[in-house]
Amino acid sequence: MRHNIFDSIPFDIFSGKDNVFANFLQTAGLYESMKIDEDNIEELILLLDGKVRISA
């Protein structure tokens, strides 16, 4: 049975250095890609929802 991934997302702000996608956006090259799967979808949601701060 699948679970709702939105239920487990905390409501506070996280540092970008702990987020896989924030690290990818800051360090990857222009044409690099990253696979989105069940293991990292929650981190992407946090980033897109504005709950992750990226310091660049």
Side-chain angles (χ1 to χ4, degrees), residues 9-35:
I9 297 175
F11 291 102
D12 37 339
I13 303 297
F14 295 96
S15 169
K17 60 186 165 186
D18 298 329
N19 186 286
V20 173
F21 290 99
N23 285 329
F24 176 77
L25 290 173
Q26 291 180 315
T27 61
L30 181 59
Y31 297 105
E32 290 185 48
S33 63
M34 182 175 182
K35 184 174 180 167

Side-chain angles (χ1 to χ4, degrees), residues 3-56:
H3 68 282
N4 185 349
I5 59 172
F6 295 100
D7 291 339
S8 61
I9 297 175
F11 291 102
D12 37 339
I13 303 297
F14 295 96
S15 169
K17 60 186 165 186
D18 298 329
N19 186 286
V20 173
F21 290 99
N23 285 329
F24 176 77
L25 290 173
Q26 291 180 315
T27 61
L30 181 59
Y31 297 105
E32 290 185 48
S33 63
M34 182 175 182
K35 184 174 180 167
I36 300 170
D37 56 22
E38 288 184 13
D39 295 331
N40 61 14
I41 189 73
E42 289 181 19
E43 292 190 38
L44 178 60
I45 292 169
L46 288 171
L47 180 67
L48 294 176
D49 196 29
K51 297 195 180 348
V52 174
R53 300 285 184 217
I54 297 176
S55 176

